[in-house]
Amino acid sequence: MNIHEYQAKELFEKFGVASPDGQVAATTEEAEAAARAMGGRRLVIKAQVHAGGRGKGSFKNGFQGGVHLVETPEQAADFAGKMIGQTLVTNQTGAEGKLVSKVMIGEAVDIERELYLAILMDRESCGPVIVVSTEGGMDIEEVAENTPDKIVRALIHPLAGLQAYEVRNLTKALELSGDQAKQFGKLIKNLYKLFLECDCSMVEINPLVVTPKGQVLALDAKFGFDDNALYRQPDVMAYRDTDEEDPREVEASKYDLNYIGLDGNIACLVNGAGLAMATMDIIQHYGGAPANFLDVGGGASKEQVSAAFKIILGDPNVKGILVNIFGGIMQCDIIAEGILTAAEETDLNIPLVVRLEGTNVVKGRALIADSNLDVITADSLNDAAQKVVAAVEG
Amino acid sequence: MSILVDENTKVLVQGITGGFGGKHAQLSLDYGTKIVAGVTPGKGGQTFGEKTPVFDTCADAARETGATVSAIFVPPPFAADAILEAVDAELDLVICITEGIPVADMMRVKEVMKGSKTRLIGPNCPGVVTPGRGKDSHGGCRIGIAPGYIHKRGNVGVVSRSGTLTYEAVYQLTELGYGQSTCVGIGGDPINGTSHLDVLKMFNDDPETEAIIMIGEIGGNAEAEAARWAKDHCSKPIAGFIAGATAPPGRRMGHAGAIVGGEDDTADAKKRILSECGIAVSETPSAMGKTLVEML
């Protein structure tokens, strides 16, 4: 799950992680009021979307740039009017762009140094790792590639937590001293607390800046949260913005279906994440292009299967469907009933290939054979993939 | 022989009074597995099914019934606690089926378990099956949620992060006439108890296991680590498959651990490493069994 910049700032304020002042606005009036309230300082207005590259992006109404310096409250209102309700296209949004419903008015800070700071949950060490670098403000992957010695990592003990000596080592690695070292020490301790208490999988501050006045501030942040822990993070869940997500994925999540939209034209409906990935792979192996990842899970009901079917049929790119079920917990007859229900309720006019195996397979196959539905049946995954690719190319 | 469990293993089920746990405990009993106890706090004294006693604690269940292995079916918020209770009861093996445990909980569990005698398999896994010698492999030890009847007792070890891909491999092997020694689902979470490497080592040491299928997916480096070890130390033929060649980067593909983070954890990179280490990589998920058989 992603969150907006203004939401990240709220989390920083709550946990005492120093960052520039900022206020969110959903209307031109709010934008003007925010700019007035923060008056006397250099300000910046930023469109709030879940995508990078905003500064160089352009709006579909012709307005250039999702980030602007603001001179007066009136200008803040003017810019807000050109951003709110408009669609911003950046190099990360794809051609369709993202609808901007809020802007943030923030303090524009002068920068003396740009540093990098991140906390991640590390698979190898099975605990948190803190990563810092003096080379902030650029792509950290490139820094790791070109100057690996500029990246310093600290593995944090899962139970003992962040120690004072580790903070000292990281401070030294960032070449911070005196009051700046103190500010950084406070910032990183509070950030670590935030990381654990909010069940983050990642918090990346890039850049962490030192201003000419000697302030150490988190200028831009990217958060990742552990989806498994969202049940105990109501405040984080409240940050979810479904307008930012693929509508097909939002619909799927209502039915507890694991769906990820892709660009191809062969939809798949599978039980189990591993088999769902493998089904996409085999479609590609035979020259097709998968339209989605869809794991209906182990205990799916007839209603869930039917909903899944409607979601994949709602994608206009889809020219064929492959249902691949290996019933362990999942019963083949339930899948068959779900397909039949969905086919009745929708206007199914594209090729449907079904491969059923496992629990109650005889019952499931009989249900489909006895229906009036025009189904291409397959007796192995191989057979199914070849048949659906052929039918779509047909 | 087999690894981890055999037909004599006594198993307790944590969460046996829940719908999901109860259903699969019954399927295991029907398969011939020695499910000797259930554990649900507050429901001690009840009976599950015909005669399986339910206890309040793991320690009571283990002491009264001699169970040495636990299967966990409790909901995610309580699963870490259930694992640690089983560890505290000094069980040999804990198999956690539960999907959706917070990563931070597993991080703490993993650290607390260091130095304990208990092995953890999972979480978010289909479990472990050592097939029996009866009809449809009846009489074996089925712990978890796999369909028992697709198995056949034999000499191929199967290890996988994914449940349904394990069934796919097992089914292919059985259809080709090759049985299995033990099938181990290690689970799809980023932090788990037992790795591909741990299981490969066990299969290598098991006299009944003559060949191995190792199934992996995108994310992490567990398959590469296992392959590099196998290159120098494993004396048995291995066929492999890696799922997720078509997965978009940065997206979590169902399993919490199935996410491409960098160049080294893509399906292509892993397949290349497996090949370099002498593992026959199956081109498609449909050819896992065939790929192994061709090596024999």
PDB file of all heavy atoms in Angstrom, chain B residues 67 72 155 161 217 266:
ATOM      1  N   ALA B  67       2.475 -36.387  21.567  1.00  0.00           N
ATOM      2  CA  ALA B  67       2.624 -35.694  20.272  1.00  0.00           C
ATOM      3  C   ALA B  67       3.975 -34.985  20.223  1.00  0.00           C
ATOM      4  O   ALA B  67       4.410 -34.391  21.213  1.00  0.00           O
ATOM      5  CB  ALA B  67       1.497 -34.680  20.094  1.00  0.00           C
ATOM      6  N   ILE B  72      -0.396 -25.827  12.883  1.00  0.00           N
ATOM      7  CA  ILE B  72      -1.055 -24.611  13.368  1.00  0.00           C
ATOM      8  C   ILE B  72      -2.027 -24.060  12.329  1.00  0.00           C
ATOM      9  O   ILE B  72      -1.665 -23.781  11.191  1.00  0.00           O
ATOM     10  CB  ILE B  72      -0.010 -23.542  13.746  1.00  0.00           C
ATOM     11  CG1 ILE B  72       0.820 -24.052  14.929  1.00  0.00           C
ATOM     12  CG2 ILE B  72      -0.682 -22.209  14.076  1.00  0.00           C
ATOM     13  CD1 ILE B  72       1.881 -23.079  15.411  1.00  0.00           C
ATOM     14  N   ASN B 155      10.378 -42.406  -4.098  1.00  0.00           N
ATOM     15  CA  ASN B 155      11.740 -41.971  -3.793  1.00  0.00           C
ATOM     16  C   ASN B 155      12.096 -40.555  -4.252  1.00  0.00           C
ATOM     17  O   ASN B 155      13.262 -40.201  -4.328  1.00  0.00           O
ATOM     18  CB  ASN B 155      12.730 -42.957  -4.423  1.00  0.00           C
ATOM     19  CG  ASN B 155      12.420 -44.382  -4.004  1.00  0.00           C
ATOM     20  OD1 ASN B 155      11.820 -45.137  -4.762  1.00  0.00           O
ATOM     21  ND2 ASN B 155      12.765 -44.710  -2.775  1.00  0.00           N
ATOM     22  N   ARG B 161       7.854 -23.478  -2.355  1.00  0.00           N
ATOM     23  CA  ARG B 161       7.273 -22.364  -1.612  1.00  0.00           C
ATOM     24  C   ARG B 161       5.765 -22.303  -1.828  1.00  0.00           C
ATOM     25  O   ARG B 161       5.059 -21.680  -1.054  1.00  0.00           O
ATOM     26  CB  ARG B 161       7.904 -21.034  -2.078  1.00  0.00           C
ATOM     27  CG  ARG B 161       9.145 -20.667  -1.289  1.00  0.00           C
ATOM     28  CD  ARG B 161      10.030 -19.705  -2.055  1.00  0.00           C
ATOM     29  NE  ARG B 161       9.534 -18.339  -2.065  1.00  0.00           N
ATOM     30  CZ  ARG B 161      10.182 -17.325  -2.642  1.00  0.00           C
ATOM     31  NH1 ARG B 161      11.336 -17.526  -3.240  1.00  0.00           N
ATOM     32  NH2 ARG B 161       9.681 -16.121  -2.605  1.00  0.00           N
ATOM     33  N   GLU B 217      10.186 -19.388  -6.572  1.00  0.00           N
ATOM     34  CA  GLU B 217       9.516 -18.278  -7.244  1.00  0.00           C
ATOM     35  C   GLU B 217      10.346 -17.021  -7.068  1.00  0.00           C
ATOM     36  O   GLU B 217      11.386 -17.031  -6.401  1.00  0.00           O
ATOM     37  CB  GLU B 217       8.094 -18.103  -6.699  1.00  0.00           C
ATOM     38  CG  GLU B 217       8.020 -17.814  -5.217  1.00  0.00           C
ATOM     39  CD  GLU B 217       6.616 -18.022  -4.632  1.00  0.00           C
ATOM     40  OE1 GLU B 217       5.880 -18.886  -5.112  1.00  0.00           O
ATOM     41  OE2 GLU B 217       6.287 -17.307  -3.679  1.00  0.00           O
ATOM     42  N   THR B 266      14.844 -12.057  -9.837  1.00  0.00           N
ATOM     43  CA  THR B 266      13.885 -12.325 -10.908  1.00  0.00           C
ATOM     44  C   THR B 266      13.910 -13.820 -11.230  1.00  0.00           C
ATOM     45  O   THR B 266      14.851 -14.527 -10.867  1.00  0.00           O
ATOM     46  CB  THR B 266      14.244 -11.574 -12.202  1.00  0.00           C
ATOM     47  OG1 THR B 266      15.532 -12.028 -12.622  1.00  0.00           O
ATOM     48  CG2 THR B 266      14.305 -10.072 -11.977  1.00  0.00           C
TER      49      THR B 266
END
